[in-house]
């Protein structure tokens, strides 16, 4: 079982920056692909960004490409999401999720952290 804990959310003005962290409980974290998703009020959860287990590949939703950066520090069992040029439409609860490198889904999810961007 893998436990994921997100942190770093908060209130920020439009145009500002925020960095989220996702800390994992497992010592085999380096074997997991990790992604960030978000869910805004009244909307479905949507993919934001992902990073492969070895950090070779990163993927981004078009809505955040060029503004968000996903990275990981396997020795610290942590994945980061650096967000810049934030917009009001980035307001959402942000979740991190992890799935084993040979799988095709994300089996483990965190509880989420709220990001609110004021315009």
């Amino acid at each position: 079982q893998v436990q994921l804990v997100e942190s770093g959310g908060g209130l920020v003005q439009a145009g500002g920056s925020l960095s989220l962290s996702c800390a994992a409980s497992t010592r085999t974290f380096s074997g997991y692909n990790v992604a960030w998703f978000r869910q805004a009020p009244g909307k479905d959860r949507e993919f934001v960004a992902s990073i492969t287990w070895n950090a070779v590949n990163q993927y981004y939703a078009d809505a955040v490409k060029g503004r968000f950066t996903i990275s990981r520090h396997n020795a610290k069992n942590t994945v980061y999401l650096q967000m810049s040029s934030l917009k009001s439409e980035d307001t959402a609860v942000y979740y991190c999720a992890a799935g084993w490198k040979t799988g095709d889904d994300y089996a483990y999810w965190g509880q989420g952290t709220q990001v609110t961007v004021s315009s």
Side-chain angles (χ1 to χ4, degrees):
Q1 192 76 0
V2 178
Q3 292 186 325
L4 303 172
V5 178
E6 302 95 336
S7 62
L11 175 64
V12 63
Q13 288 189 331
S17 299
L18 209 58
S19 182
L20 305 182
S21 298
C22 173
S25 62
T26 177
R27 281 185 281 182
T28 59
F29 181 65
S30 59
Y32 286 85
N33 299 322
V34 178
W36 286 94
F37 291 80
R38 67 186 182 187
Q39 187 167 21
K43 294 188 177 182
D44 292 334
R45 187 165 57 192
E46 64 176 2
F47 168 81
V48 175
S50 65
I51 187 166
T52 52
W53 60 277
N54 55 4
V56 170
N57 294 304
Q58 300 87 43
Y59 304 94
Y60 298 92
D62 288 344
V64 307
K65 204 170 291 183
R67 300 188 297 121
F68 291 11
T69 301
I70 189 170
S71 61
R72 67 188 298 158
H73 194 309
N74 283 341
K76 294 184 177 181
N77 289 350
T78 303
V79 167
Y80 306 96
L81 185 69
Q82 177 65 42
M83 307 183 293
S84 60
S85 301
L86 283 161
K87 307 174 182 179
S88 57
E89 51 262 46
D90 294 319
T91 295
V93 177
Y94 283 70
Y95 300 89
C96 70
W100 187 246
K101 60 185 177 182
T102 57
D104 57 2
D105 66 349
Y106 296 101
Y108 304 102
W109 292 78
Q111 294 299 307
T113 185
Q114 176 71 48
V115 172
T116 303
V117 183
S118 63
S119 55

